[in-house]
Amino acid sequence: MALFTRNTDDNSHASQQRWLQRPVANAVFDGAQFIDRYAVLRWDTDRGGLALVHSMVDGNAAPKTVTSALRRHHGARLADRYACVVVAQTSTQVSQPWVPDLQAYDVDGGDQPYYTTWAELAALLGQPAPYWFHALRDRDSIAAWRPGAPPAVVPAHDIATPVTALTELAADEPDGSPAAELCWYLAREVRHRGHASTTRYIAELRKNAADGGDGAHLVLGAEPASLLRPAPEEPTEMVRRAGWLSITERRDVLAHRVAAFAQRWDGGRDWHTGAVVSVRPEACATAREWARRLVPAAADQPPTVLEKVLLDNDRGADSDVLLHDPVAGVPVLQRAPDTGATDLSTCTLQRLPTRSPLAALVLSAGICWIRTEDQTLWLAPERDGWGIGYGYSGNGCLTLARLVDVLLDDISAPAVRPDDPAAPRALFELLRDAPGTVTYTRAQLLAARAG
């Protein structure tokens, strides 16, 4: 049976006989084992063990990475346990775009991973091998699988975004809780998306099998359970933001897990915080003014969700100190506090929680500050991934110009999006030509906006 190849390197080895291409007298299923982040199904053959692997944390996995995990587990006995490792992928074959990829690696003397087919694997095993779509990789159903078993019925959800923490947090919330409404919505939305995508993939795979494609040589380890609820309706923005505000202020492990879900799901789009920025107090007087209001964070409690975000972004130096900005209500991480090169890492807000109008825009040492009429100093609102800047002709300056334009009219307006209307050209040009340190009063900004 021909080897399924993808590129020049693979083609150059096509004449070499891979482990999977050599005949075996028999193959006997030996059960499933979970090693590191992988589900490993093993067959015993007269030429050694074969592993069929599915990642339990992501759709795809590199054969060499999987083999390294197996080597850590089995040590010197690896070659006695496995002769070939075959890894099932979420990515699909080039010539048959609904059939999952298979990548193999020969443990004893293998040089590079290579592509193979389900037909080739089935020929070696004497029967089709099982495949679990990544939304259906349920640990118990994989552990219970045996040759000839019908597909297990599994609730569909993406293994990269598990919903258990969402449902556990929602279950403990009081009636009417925005956090509960938000979490129930997200859990149900993940299920609906997983069900819809997996159902479509299975239908297309079955078409491929009916046409005699490579999909005819695999069996499904699981199918999605029926959905008994209609697609969920997304909560209003007010409810979503209130829910996340409640969650990000919490210190418990469950809240941390829900926050980790949000980072994978949409990057925390509806959190009240935006980008993480670094401020150097020694760089300018404005930064020093802001730094003077910071207070120590609670040292006798676990970190809040937002504090953990900063800590996870840091390199973890033992000398780093957690602080708190009592005005903005956000954490601050002080790095290298006993050196002259200290910097303060913190989160911007997506909206300024004040009714005091914009009095001045302060640009200093690369940082954009807003001073309101009550003399409060704020870091300019900024969305994660859409930076603001000045002194150059680019997207950051365009974004800052749009932000200033809206804050002049509404100080609590949200940080701008890339698709928001452009600011007046003269306002952009003022910021584009700004020197390294400058303060623009409200009157100057309004004049520039008027052209």
Side-chain angles (χ1 to χ4, degrees), residues 27-221:
V28 179
F29 182 64
D30 188 38
Q33 186 177 16
F34 294 89
I35 297 175
D36 198 355
R37 302 175 296 168
Y38 308 109
V40 183
L41 284 76
R42 184 180 182 275
W43 279 260
D44 238 337
T45 81
D46 60 347
R47 289 196 292 105
L50 171 78
L52 175 61
V53 180
H54 292 70
S55 170
M56 297 299 290
V57 296
D58 196 0
N60 299 307
K64 283 190 174 181
T65 303
V66 174
T67 304
S68 295
L70 296 179
R71 182 172 286 109
R72 288 192 298 271
H73 182 79
H74 294 289
R77 299 180 293 108
L78 177 65
D80 297 331
R81 183 72 176 165
Y82 300 106
C84 182
V85 176
V86 181
V87 185
Q89 308 289 329
T90 295
S91 58
T92 58
Q93 299 178 12
V94 172
S95 61
Q96 302 184 68
W98 295 101
V99 181
D101 254 337
L102 282 176
Q103 295 185 36
Y105 182 75
D106 297 344
V107 174
D108 187 8
D111 53 354
Q112 294 295 326
Y114 55 95
Y115 289 98
T116 187
T117 63
W118 291 95
E120 189 167 62
L121 182 59
L124 184 139
L125 298 178
Q127 58 189 285
Y131 178 72
W132 281 265
F133 281 94
H134 74 283
L136 303 176
R137 291 183 186 173
D138 175 75
R139 193 180 182 96
D140 291 342
S141 70
I142 295 176
W145 185 86
R146 297 292 182 271
V153 180
V154 173
H157 64 86
D158 192 328
I159 56 174
T161 50
V163 300
T164 303
L166 295 168
T167 57
E168 288 182 350
L169 189 147
D172 290 337
E173 286 287 302
D175 293 342
S177 160
E181 184 176 346
L182 170 70
C183 287
W184 283 127
Y185 162 73
L186 288 171
R188 288 164 178 156
E189 179 67 8
V190 169
R191 290 288 178 87
H192 271 266
R193 291 191 188 187
H195 184 276
S197 62
T198 304
T199 300
R200 181 189 179 199
Y201 293 150
I202 289 176
E204 295 292 344
L205 184 60
R206 285 175 172 158
K207 289 180 185 178
N208 174 276
D211 293 338
D214 198 40
H217 301 281
L218 64 83
V219 294
L220 294 177

